[in-house]
Amino acid sequence: MNEATLTYYPSRDFKANARAALADSNLRQSFRGAMDFLMGKRAAQFPDAHELAELRKLGESIRQKSLARLPELLERLEAKLNENGVTVHWAETTEEANAIIHGLIAAKGGKLAVKGKSMVSEETELNHYLEARGVTAIESDMGEYIVQLAGEKPSHIIMPAIHKTRADIAKLFSEHIPDTPYTEDVDALIQIGRQALRQMYVTADVGVSGVNFAIAETGTLCLVENEGNGRMCTTVPDMHIAITGIEKVIEKLADVVPLYSLLTRSATGQPVTTYFNMISSPRREGEMDGPREVHLVLLDNGRSQAYSDEQLRKTLQCIRCGACMNHCPVYTRIGGHAYGTVYPGPIGQIISPHMLGLENTVDLPTASSLCGACGEVCPVKIPIPEMLMRLREESVRDPHEKVAHPLRGQGAGVDREVKLAWRLWSGVYSKPGAYRFFGWAATRLRGLTPRHQLGWTQNHVPMKPAPKTLHELMRERRKETAR
Amino acid sequence: MSARDTILGKLRAAPRSAPVEADVAAYYAGTEKLVGLTALKHWAALMRAVRTEVLWVRESDWPQTLAEEVATRGVRTLLLAPSTAHGARAAAALAELAEPPLRLGFDRPIDGWKATLFNTVDAAFTRVRAGIALTGSLIAWPGQDEPRTMSLVPPIHFALFDTRTLHPDFFSAMSTENWAAGMPTNALLISGPSKTSDIQQTVAYGAHGPRELVVLAVVPDDIDLADLEADA
Ligand code: SF4
C-alpha cells in the first residue's frame, strides 16, 4: 500500500473527479443498482407513513435534546465511564487522537490491532499512522477489509466496498491472501475472509472500534453490526480502544431504542441488525473474557465549530445511517470516491467543511440539485438542503467580514469575476435609467450573444435575449387595446 | 489548557439551544404491542427470516432435543456451563449420546486458551435472558458462567430461551427489567447468525461469528405447539 492511495485528496478536485466518475459507465451502473436496492429496502421498512413521521420527530428531538446539553452530557459520560472502569481521552485534532491511540498500544508493546468499522478512524487515517510506527492495523469488517486490501478508501459509510464487483473481490482475495483460489462465489469469498481474519483476533494485542451511541446515564458504548467482527474486536484482545466524535453522546439508555430502530431501518432496511452490542466496562472480577482495559477517545476535529452556530449545529444530529447518500441523485451518479472526503454524499457535504475547512471543500455544498431528497429521508430530520445553502453563503462571504461564528475558510468561494458580474447586475437593476438602457441594448444586440456560455451550453441551448423587452411588449399591448 | 478543557470551553461558549422534549416512554406507550401467541409467532418468523433455527420445546424435554441437534450436526466439542442448572441438565443429556461430544466448561480466563477456543470448539450452549417480539431478537447478558465469547466464537450457538420472557419490544424489555439501574459488562441483542452483505449486496452467513444459531424455545405447557406453527 502506498501513501498516495491512502491519503484523501482535497475535495477542491471534486469537479474533475465527478467528471471522471460520470464517464465511467460501469461505476454509474453499479451505484445506481445498489442505491435502488437500498432505497427499496428502506421503503419496505416504513410502510406506515404516520409511524415514520412520529418516529422521525422523536429521533430528531432526542438528538436535539442531547446536543442542547452536550457539554454536560460529555462530562456525565466521562464520570460514569470512569466509575465503570473505562478511561476517557479527549482529542481536538486527528493527530492528537492518533497519538493517544498509538501511545496506548505502544505502552503495551502491541504490534497488531484488529479494527471494527469506524468512520472516525477513517477521519484520523489511523491505520496509516499506526503502520508508520510499526503497528499493523487490520480492518475486520468484510467491506473495510476488501478496501484495505485494495489500498483504497470506503466509498459509502455503511457499505464500504459498494463500488467493487464480485469479480474485483475474487481477484483481490486470490492475489493477496495466500493459497486462495479465484472464486466468485459469495459464500466462498466470505469464508475466505473469515478464515483470514479469524487468527487475527487470537493474536491481536488490541481491538479498535467506533461507537454508534454513547450513553451518559449508564456509561455504555453501543455498537451496531451484522458481522460479529465488532464483537470480536471489543471482546477478544486484552485492550479495547473505542474512538468517537464528541456529538455521539445521548442522555438516557431509553433514548437509544428509537435511534437504533431508525438507524437500522434507514441504513440497510433491516428491522434490526444481527448484533446490538452494549459495552459498559472492562472485564470485571471473576469474568473469564473481555478486555482488561477499555479506553474511549472523544474527538472534536471541527465538530465544535459546527456546534458554535445554532443552525449548523443540526449537522451533529446525524446518526450516520447513509440514507441521504442512497437517495441523493448526485451521489448515485458519481459514487463516493469523487467527493474526496471521508464522508461522501449529503452528510459529507455538510460535515466535511467543518473538518477540513471551506478552503478544501468549497465545491461540495454546490454539488447538490437541492431536490430535498436527503432532508426528506433523514431519520433525524436534518434540514440538509438548508445547511447546503448556508454553507454556500459562507463560502462567498467576504473573508474579512466579521461574523459571530466565522467558519474556517470563510470566503473560499469568492470569485472576482462573479463578484464583478453581480456588482454590475445590481448597479443596472437598481437604477431605472441604467436598467432601461441595458434592456434596450441587450435586445437590439442579441445577435452578438455568444454560442458557448460557460457550463450552461454543455446541456442547454444558448440563452438569447428576446427581440423586445417585457416593458416594450406591455407598452405595445396597451396601445393596441386603447385603439 | 488540556484538549478536554478546550473542547468543553468551546461547547460552553456556544449559544444555548432551546430546551427540547423527547418523551420516549410516551411514544412507546402509544405503540401497539404484540402479545401472546401472535408475539411468539412474529418473533419466530423474524428470527427464521434471518436463518435462525427455532425449535419449540417443553421444559421437560429440551435437553433431549439439544442432544439430538448436537448429534445431527456432528458436534465434537461443545462449550457449556456445567455449574448452572441448565448447563448440568444439558451435559447429562449429551452424555447419553452414542457418541457424546467433548464437553468443555469456560472455567479459566480466555487468555490461556484463545487458540483452542477458536480452532477446536464446534459449538456452545448458553441460556439467554429474554426475547423481543417486534424485532425478532434474543437478549443476552453474558456473565461469569457464560462469558461473552461463548455466543460469538464457536461456529454453532445453541441458545436456550424461555418464551415466557418474551417482551413486546426493546423499550418494554429495558424498562420492565430496569436496565438503567445497572448495566452488565456487556449486554447484547442477537438476531440471527453472523452475516454480511458487503459483497454486491448478497447476504452471506457466518461472516465472523456463529454460522448457525439454533434456539431451543421453551414453551409453557398451556400453549399447544401445533398452534405455534399454524399459519406461520
Ligand atoms: S444526515 Fe441524516 S440521512 Fe444522512 S447519514 Fe446522517 S442521519 Fe443518515
Side-chain angles (χ1 to χ4, degrees):
Chain A
M1 282 170 229
N2 66 51
E3 191 161 332
T5 52
L6 278 167
T7 307
Y8 272 97
Y9 37 85
S11 44
R12 56 176 163 259
D13 298 336
F14 174 74
K15 284 184 181 160
N17 302 336
R19 261 194 296 276
L22 285 171
D24 183 342
S25 56
N26 285 341
L27 183 105
R28 284 185 63 171
Q29 209 178 341
S30 61
F31 268 94
R32 173 86 264 169
M35 295 306 114
D36 285 348
F37 174 76
L38 289 169
M39 283 195 281
K41 286 198 66 182
R42 174 194 170 273
Q45 278 300 323
F46 294 111
D48 179 347
H50 177 71
E51 189 233 344
L52 173 60
E54 291 300 306
L55 197 55
R56 283 179 78 213
K57 224 191 292 167
L58 182 62
E60 177 192 31
S61 48
I62 291 171
R63 290 302 295 132
Q64 288 186 347
K65 172 186 81 159
S66 311
L67 290 171
R69 306 183 47 208
L70 186 58
E72 292 85 54
L73 289 186
L74 283 168
E75 281 186 312
R76 216 172 130 195
L77 174 74
E78 179 182 46
K80 196 70 203 173
L81 282 169
N82 284 340
E83 201 181 291
N84 295 352
V86 176
T87 313
V88 178
H89 309 260
W90 301 69
E92 269 192 274
T93 62
T94 56
E95 178 72 26
E96 276 175 29
N98 284 342
I100 291 167
I101 295 175
H102 176 248
L104 291 168
I105 300 174
K108 288 246 150 205
K111 288 278 167 253
L112 176 66
V114 271
K115 279 186 64 214
K117 191 165 160 18
S118 151
M119 289 310 292
V120 178
S121 72
E122 299 285 343
E123 253 176 70
T124 69
E125 301 219 344
L126 178 65
N127 291 356
H128 189 44
Y129 184 96
L130 292 178
E131 207 79 59
R133 286 155 187 80
V135 178
T136 305
I138 300 286
E139 293 291 347
S140 61
D141 171 270
M142 285 294 173
E144 294 276 352
Y145 179 60
I146 291 163
V147 290
Q148 187 180 36
L149 284 183
E152 294 174 4
K153 286 286 189 180
S155 60
H156 189 283
I157 63 172
I158 302 291
M159 302 211 147
I162 206 161
H163 58 289
K164 291 249 174 264
T165 62
R166 190 191 293 223
D168 293 335
I169 297 161
K171 191 158 170 284
L172 261 180
F173 278 12
S174 65
E175 281 169 7
H176 289 86
I177 305 175
D179 307 322
T180 301
Y182 182 95
T183 170
E184 289 186 21
D185 180 275
V186 172
D187 280 317
L189 287 169
I190 293 302
Q191 290 314 308
I192 292 165
R194 175 186 171 105
Q195 287 316 323
L197 289 162
R198 243 176 178 241
Q199 293 315 312
M200 304 287 177
Y201 302 121
V202 179
T203 43
D205 308 289
V206 56
V208 178
S209 79
V211 175
N212 290 94
F213 309 105
I215 300 163
E217 180 183 27
T218 52
T220 302
L221 308 176
C222 302
L223 274 113
V224 176
E225 60 147 346
N226 280 316
E227 294 187 4
N229 66 308
R231 287 184 66 197
M232 290 279 190
C233 295
T234 57
T235 307
V236 183
D238 211 37
M239 177 158 70
H240 166 208
I241 306 173
I243 176 166
T244 190
I246 50 173
E247 80 282 20
K248 286 284 179 76
V249 62
I250 53 176
E251 186 184 0
K252 302 253 181 217
L253 186 62
D255 291 342
V256 86
V257 181
L259 293 180
Y260 175 49
S261 174
L262 282 165
L263 173 59
T264 60
R265 295 203 272 171
S266 307
T268 48
Q270 299 179 95
V272 278
T273 45
T274 303
Y275 301 115
F276 184 63
N277 192 359
M278 293 162 270
I279 298 164
S280 300
S281 76
R283 189 189 302 192
R284 288 180 187 157
E285 188 67 33
E287 290 179 345
M288 300 294 175
D289 65 12
R292 288 199 169 81
E293 270 182 57
V294 178
H295 298 264
L296 173 69
V297 180
L298 291 165
L299 175 68
D300 181 343
N301 191 26
R303 289 163 171 85
S304 55
Q305 171 179 281
Y307 191 81
S308 68
D309 181 287
E310 275 192 274
Q311 187 190 22
L312 298 173
R313 185 177 300 170
K314 293 186 180 149
T315 307
L316 304 178
Q317 284 168 216
C318 178
I319 54 170
R320 303 283 190 265
C321 70
C324 55
M325 52 192 76
N326 301 348
H327 290 75
C328 173
V330 177
Y331 178 90
T332 306
R333 282 163 181 80
I334 64 174
H337 284 152
Y339 294 81
T341 44
V342 174
Y343 303 95
I347 177 59
Q349 290 167 267
I350 60 171
I351 189 81
S352 307
H354 298 288
M355 294 173 175
L356 303 165
L358 272 164
E359 67 274 31
N360 288 315
T361 54
V362 70
D363 284 330
L364 294 189
T366 67
S368 167
S369 62
L370 297 182
C371 67
C374 50
E376 233 166 72
V377 295
C378 177
V380 287
K381 297 181 78 170
I382 302 177
I384 303 174
E386 240 173 63
M387 306 287 166
L388 292 169
M389 294 297 285
R390 170 69 192 281
L391 290 166
R392 288 180 189 188
E393 197 180 313
E394 297 303 331
S395 72
V396 294
R397 192 188 287 285
D398 185 330
H400 305 295
E401 189 182 327
K402 291 267 173 286
V403 288
H405 307 292
L407 298 196
R408 215 176 109 201
Q410 170 181 315
V414 172
D415 178 324
R416 273 170 212 266
E417 285 163 30
V418 172
K419 220 173 162 186
L420 180 69
W422 282 113
R423 195 168 293 157
L424 286 172
W425 182 265
S426 82
V428 166
Y429 272 69
S430 55
K431 294 186 192 77
Y435 178 76
R436 269 195 301 274
F437 175 72
F438 172 75
W440 180 87
T443 50
R444 271 35 175 210
L445 301 175
R446 59 195 286 271
L448 302 178
T449 320
R451 286 164 60 86
H452 298 288
Q453 298 166 354
L454 303 174
W456 177 261
T457 41
Q458 275 173 15
N459 302 302
H460 303 82
V461 291
M463 291 183 288
K464 204 172 191 179
K468 286 181 184 170
T469 67
L470 180 67
H471 286 178
E472 285 169 337
L473 289 173
M474 290 303 290
R475 253 197 313 275
E476 281 174 14
R477 184 184 285 191
R478 265 201 297 271
K479 262 188 218 158
E480 267 171 35
T481 36
R483 248 187 253 139
Chain B
M1 220 184 338
S2 69
R4 177 185 189 277
D5 293 344
T6 313
I7 295 169
L8 289 174
K10 281 193 210 164
L11 299 180
R12 288 226 164 78
R16 306 294 288 189
S17 22
V20 188
E21 286 298 316
D23 196 340
V24 179
Y27 174 83
Y28 283 99
T31 58
E32 219 175 290
K33 303 284 178 230
L34 291 163
V35 289
L37 214 55
T38 319
L40 213 45
K41 284 174 154 188
H42 185 88
W43 169 85
L46 284 190
M47 291 233 79
R48 285 170 173 163
V50 286
R51 217 189 267 182
T52 303
E53 195 149 340
V54 176
L55 305 169
W56 305 117
V57 289
R58 299 290 188 196
E59 182 54 40
S60 55
D61 63 16
W62 66 256
Q64 188 53 39
T65 310
L66 172 69
E68 283 160 18
E69 293 299 320
V70 163
T72 312
R73 286 171 172 76
V75 171
R76 280 170 307 174
T77 308
L78 183 127
L79 201 54
L80 43 59
S83 55
T84 61
H86 59 275
R89 280 185 72 192
L94 292 167
E96 298 294 310
L97 286 171
E99 285 180 59
L102 179 64
R103 296 164 307 281
L104 296 180
F106 211 124
D107 48 10
R108 61 211 148 108
I110 187 174
D111 319 73
W113 63 297
K114 271 186 200 174
T116 312
L117 174 63
F118 272 78
N119 300 326
T120 65
V121 177
D122 303 314
F125 167 69
T126 72
R127 196 180 58 172
V128 294
R129 181 183 175 93
I132 299 174
L134 186 67
T135 51
S137 313
L138 297 172
I139 300 170
W141 285 38
Q144 295 189 4
D145 293 322
E146 293 178 342
R148 296 159 70 164
T149 39
M150 280 179 80
S151 61
L152 176 65
V153 175
I156 305 172
H157 177 205
F158 295 101
L160 181 66
F161 166 47
D162 181 345
T163 59
R164 287 170 307 180
T165 65
L166 185 69
H167 295 278
D169 53 39
F170 189 13
F171 180 78
S172 313
M174 192 182 265
S175 46
T176 317
E177 296 182 7
N178 193 18
W179 288 16
M183 290 289 277
T185 304
N186 181 221
L188 198 65
L189 304 192
I190 303 175
S191 302
S194 138
K195 69 169 187 281
T196 181
S197 309
D198 270 343
I199 301 183
Q200 270 189 245
Q201 297 96 55
T202 311
V203 183
Y205 287 88
H208 296 272
R211 275 184 222 136
E212 287 180 57
L213 173 62
V214 182
V215 185
L216 301 166
V218 182
V219 181
D221 292 339
D222 57 341
I223 294 180
D224 188 341
L225 296 186
D227 287 348
L228 283 167
E229 293 302 341
D231 313 318

